[in-house]
Amino acid sequence: MPKTDSTAPKKALTDRAVANLFLLPTILLLVAMNIFPLFWSLGLSFTKFKANASKPAEWIGNANYTEMMSREQVWQSFTTTAAFVLLAVGLQLAVGFGLAILLNRSFKLKGIITTLFLLPMMLSSVVVGLFWRFLLDTNFGVINWLLGSVGLMDPKKPINWTDKDHALWSVVIADTWQWAPFVMLIALAGLASVPKTLYEAASVDRASEWFRFRFITMPFITPLLLIALLFRTLDSFKMFDLAWIMTERGATVETVSIQVFREALRNWNTGKACALAYIVLLVIIGLTNLYLMMMARVRGEAKLDAAPLFAPETPWLVGLQKAATPTLAVLLLWGAYKAGGGMFVGGLLLLVALIAGTFYVPRKIRSALAFIGIGIALFAYLFPLGWMIVTSLKQYTDVNAMPPKFTFSPTGENYAAIFTTDDGKKFMGQMGNSLLVSVISTVIAVFMGTLAAYTFSRFKIKAKGDALFFILSTRMLPPVVVLVPVYLMYQLIEQKTGIKMLNTLHGLGLLYTTVGVAFATWLMKGFTDDVPPEYEEAALLDRYSRLRAMQKTVLPLVLPGMATTAVFVFLNAWNEYAFGYFLSGLEPLTAPPSITAVIGGGSIPWNAVAAKAMVFLLPAAVFTFLMRNHLLRGMTFGAIKGR
């Protein structure tokens, strides 16, 4: 028998084998957790079926779709969702772009001030919803007191911010406060990308400030503002948390996501809920296609990363894109008129005129006005956080005092109760569960996403564009649309195998990993694309295997990107509310649903809620501070690359 040479080199994996090894786990996970349940729910959408009953599904054809499309409540929920998207996204673009213009100058403490503006973006929607629900409380809210103090409201007739006339605006204000900094980040990236030589040339020609802004700044920043518009439109369309928390579980602001939830897990009309979910899914697919085409235009790519259903040069799409801006402007004016009347629209136009007028005042005066604006904006952003901190240090009698108490004897009892009482210890256990499931799902998602991103970046793959479109589509799915089929699948797994998936940490962790891996793949692809392939080619010429070349050349350069991605994936899992609320039993497993458990039970102990919220948001604040230098690159998804 011949001897085996132990020093002989092992046969290296081929590129095809490496691509399959890196990509297939991600594809299989997304298929198992998204495509399979969605196809199953597609079949159920043509049946009469209740998930809480033992009767089998009864085929009824397209009756569910016909009923959903003819039901007045469904159309009302789409109208409410459209109104919310229009108002919230419009305000976020205006506020975010305005903040970017103010911050686009050199001054002391600029980094710290920018980080402070980013804090709301890193918070859970649960915490944000609670903050603003407390601030807008009809009888004890500080906002009504402030409005009454300056004569903008009759103190004897306080505004009810949760009634049908004001509830939508209250949710819009909270969402704008949280997500306008996202637009600010992208706008700052665009402003930083404008070549300084263009401004210098304009100065030589004695061009006015308005000319520079109109013909130099805006052409560079408009494509990125469109990216921000599309991101926020997609996320706003699937909004659930804020409306659910701020308006008594969607009583006065019933978005389409809330409508799907009521039909699925309140009325238990599973077949009808699946039909409505598919209608929502079609809208999301259309928006995702629009996003892909706009992203390609911004990045200047001749070939799209992911292949949309329609080619960007399709004539009717070109016409649609040209009509989008004026149409949006008209819709925004119409929405402003419907919401606040002619005086409100007039006030907005006057504000725009005043802002435009600042381009014609001397530079020193303009700089002074900018710093005043930064101070006012910073106060508006920090006041809700500061008021919640103050509330967490108050006794119950001080919280409900009117006028609000700004001077009081602070107490640490609310924080002590979290560590000493049974309810507090239970909450800390739920925070531990949140930490455990968030860390594990983040590690797995970033690992799988990095490998999948490397595959898309380095290898020629059949139907690469379709695969990337599939991954992006799963990222854009509203949680409620996924929830219905996943709930049914978990229920079936328990019935067939005895493995419990509902109301378990591993069930939640699997969902968090699925959502995180789609996000991580797209984010990491931007980082991987930035690493020149020539580095690996040189290593391969030195007889390194593909895996070894990746380890030596690519991995060290994308580690900062992996760290940034891990922060975002962790925060998404840590702040996640919908899955934790839907798939838990009467006792929430994670912290976000637990914080809102007091809603609807009579008088709310806001001091205790504030203490829990402050303890819960501490990790988000720490991560925001530690990763502040990487947030700009992470949030823009590589949109500046190649400009």
Side-chain angles (χ1 to χ4, degrees), residues 422-440:
D422 291 340
D423 179 68
K425 292 177 181 178
K426 186 185 300 181
F427 175 71
M428 291 305 296
Q430 291 161 338
M431 281 196 61
N433 289 341
S434 292
L435 183 63
L436 177 65
V437 72
S438 299
V439 169
I440 293 176

Side-chain angles (χ1 to χ4, degrees), residues 389-399 408-417 607-608 611:
I389 294 173
V390 168
T391 302
S392 70
L393 298 172
K394 287 182 176 181
Q395 295 181 356
Y396 181 76
T397 53
D398 293 332
V399 172
F408 59 94
S409 299
T411 177
E413 294 177 357
N414 302 314
Y415 289 98
N607 52 334

Side-chain angles (χ1 to χ4, degrees), residues 103-155:
L103 292 172
N104 187 39
R105 62 192 72 245
S106 298
F107 58 92
K108 292 182 179 180
L109 304 179
K110 177 180 178 179
I112 294 176
I113 290 175
T114 303
T115 302
L116 291 175
F117 276 118
L118 297 179
L119 277 176
M121 191 178 70
M122 295 294 107
L123 300 180
S124 167
S125 295
V126 172
V127 175
V128 172
L130 285 172
F131 278 13
W132 282 94
R133 177 168 175 155
F134 175 52
L135 291 168
L136 297 170
D137 185 87
T138 304
N139 298 312
F140 304 108
V142 70
I143 298 296
N144 273 354
W145 178 80
L146 288 173
L147 292 175
S149 299
V150 298
L152 295 177
M153 183 195 77
D154 184 355

Side-chain angles (χ1 to χ4, degrees), residues 86-87 89-91 93 226 229 320-338 345 348-349 352:
L86 187 67
L87 293 172
V89 175
L91 278 175
L93 285 173
L226 291 175
L229 168 68
L320 182 63
Q321 292 178 27
K322 290 181 179 179
T325 301
T327 302
L328 179 62
V330 172
L331 288 174
L332 284 173
L333 286 175
W334 176 81
Y337 176 78
K338 295 292 290 185
V345 174
L348 287 178
L349 294 176
V352 171

Side-chain angles (χ1 to χ4, degrees), residues 20-90:
N20 291 334
L21 181 65
F22 283 4
L23 185 59
L24 282 180
T26 295
I27 297 296
L28 291 175
L29 175 65
L30 294 176
V31 167
M33 294 301 297
N34 285 312
I35 300 304
F36 171 70
L38 283 175
F39 273 108
W40 184 16
S41 65
L42 177 62
L44 291 176
S45 70
F46 295 100
T47 67
K48 181 179 180 181
F49 177 66
K50 289 180 175 286
N52 65 336
S54 57
K55 293 180 61 176
E58 176 187 347
W59 180 267
I60 57 173
N62 64 348
N64 289 330
Y65 288 93
T66 302
E67 181 178 344
M68 289 295 102
M69 292 299 292
S70 60
R71 186 183 290 184
E72 184 178 351
Q73 281 182 314
V74 172
W75 284 105
Q76 183 59 46
S77 68
F78 272 102
T79 302
T80 300
T81 302
F84 170 77
V85 171
L86 187 67
L87 293 172
V89 175

Side-chain angles (χ1 to χ4, degrees), residues 526-598:
F527 287 109
T528 308
D529 286 344
D530 285 344
V531 179
E534 290 79 10
Y535 294 172
E536 282 170 283
E537 293 171 2
L540 292 172
L541 289 175
D542 289 339
R543 304 183 66 83
Y544 278 89
S545 67
R546 172 64 72 170
L547 293 176
R548 189 67 172 166
M550 175 198 176
Q551 180 186 353
K552 288 291 186 180
T553 62
V554 178
L555 196 58
L557 296 176
V558 300
L559 278 176
M562 292 178 67
T564 303
T565 303
V567 171
F568 283 110
V569 174
F570 173 82
L571 288 175
N572 284 336
W574 175 259
N575 292 328
E576 202 284 320
Y577 172 80
F579 291 137
Y581 177 81
F582 295 145
L583 300 180
S584 295
L586 297 176
E587 193 66 49
L589 288 173
T590 53
S594 175
I595 297 176
T596 63
V598 295

